[in-house]
Amino acid sequence: MKHCLEKALQVVHRRRVSEIILYPTETVYGLGVHAFDAEAWRDLCVLKGRSEAQRASWLVRDMSDIERLAVVAPAARELAQQYLPGPLTLVLQAKDTVPAHCVAADGTVSFRISSDGVAAALIADYMERSGGVPLTCTSANVHGLPPQTTPTEILLQFGDRATMITQVIDGGKRSGQASTVVRCVGEDVSILRQGVIAV
């Protein structure tokens, strides 16, 4: 009887509902979970229908958060001074303090500092409560489908899986155009995705 109860509790724990937040940024809506929680990340990947091996950007408050978690190359610092907060995603070398399961295969992590007031207030409150852990900032769409511009359209796209989203923050319609992604590791600078900011 005791063994059966323990097994049942393990199943319940594995099936716990992760906090998944749908929130606006200045570009598209994002989906946020605790960036260091491997189980929450798996739940988010199930929601989006994507591989767990694909990492997500992290939403943070400011450059001091980025400097705590990654090596900020000179080129990245220049870009940040010019474009952050704003529609720029910086891909940087992770520091050893970042949990290994959060780091991409090439040793990087990526960051967003949103200029959207709602996103900025959300991450300030969240990181205060989480002890400085960021939220993921992956686009709120089913993998392979285009991002939608309103919460209603997003929830419709997810269909039955939309029930996995535990909090919806409606900031009105968004542009639907994603951020520009730039990888800055050492002296190497490369544009991985053309977005709002032109090359």
Side-chain angles (χ1 to χ4, degrees), residues 108-167:
T108 60
V109 286
S110 53
F111 300 91
R112 292 270 281 112
I113 302 174
S114 180
S115 58
D116 182 87
V118 177
L122 168 67
I123 194 58
D125 176 68
Y126 186 86
M127 291 186 74
E128 180 69 26
R129 291 187 291 110
S130 70
V133 178
L135 272 173
T136 57
C137 189
T138 180
S139 58
N141 61 294
V142 173
H143 183 65
L145 295 181
Q148 300 300 306
T149 59
T150 67
T152 298
E153 293 169 328
I154 291 165
L155 295 174
L156 285 171
Q157 187 184 84
F158 281 118
D160 291 344
R161 282 181 289 179
T163 58
M164 296 178 69
I165 298 171
T166 56
Q167 183 180 357

Side-chain angles (χ1 to χ4, degrees), residues 1-197:
M1 180 67 179
K2 183 181 177 183
H3 175 71
C4 291
L5 180 59
E6 288 174 350
K7 190 171 181 181
L9 287 172
Q10 287 170 5
V11 170
V12 169
H13 177 70
R14 284 200 302 271
R15 290 182 181 173
R16 70 177 174 81
V17 177
S18 301
E19 181 183 32
I20 301 179
I21 306 169
L22 173 65
Y23 63 91
T25 74
E26 74 280 16
T27 54
V28 297
Y29 274 83
L31 289 168
V33 299
H34 188 289
F36 293 174
D37 187 331
E39 189 167 352
W41 173 243
R42 282 193 292 271
D43 288 345
L44 182 53
C45 289
V46 169
L47 172 63
K48 283 180 62 79
R50 66 182 278 177
S51 166
E52 290 179 38
Q54 290 179 270
R55 308 315 305 173
S57 300
W58 293 346
L59 183 67
V60 295
R61 297 167 291 195
D62 50 36
M63 281 302 295
S64 63
D65 287 330
I66 295 178
E67 289 165 347
R68 193 164 43 83
L69 298 165
V71 178
V72 182
R77 197 172 299 280
E78 266 188 63
L79 288 168
Q81 287 172 352
Q82 188 167 354
Y83 296 112
L84 292 178
L88 173 69
T89 298
L90 285 176
V91 181
L92 307 171
Q93 186 70 42
K95 286 188 173 177
D96 293 341
T97 50
V98 175
H101 69 269
C102 299
V103 179
D106 64 354
T108 60
V109 286
S110 53
F111 300 91
R112 292 270 281 112
I113 302 174
S114 180
S115 58
D116 182 87
V118 177
L122 168 67
I123 194 58
D125 176 68
Y126 186 86
M127 291 186 74
E128 180 69 26
R129 291 187 291 110
S130 70
V133 178
L135 272 173
T136 57
C137 189
T138 180
S139 58
N141 61 294
V142 173
H143 183 65
L145 295 181
Q148 300 300 306
T149 59
T150 67
T152 298
E153 293 169 328
I154 291 165
L155 295 174
L156 285 171
Q157 187 184 84
F158 281 118
D160 291 344
R161 282 181 289 179
T163 58
M164 296 178 69
I165 298 171
T166 56
Q167 183 180 357
V168 177
I169 302 174
D170 190 342
K173 190 169 184 176
R174 288 298 182 261
S175 70
Q177 189 176 5
S179 64
T180 297
V181 181
V182 183
R183 185 181 188 275
C184 297
V185 176
E187 296 184 0
D188 175 57
V189 179
S190 53
I191 295 167
L192 304 184
R193 181 178 71 197
Q194 172 69 65
V196 175
I197 300 170

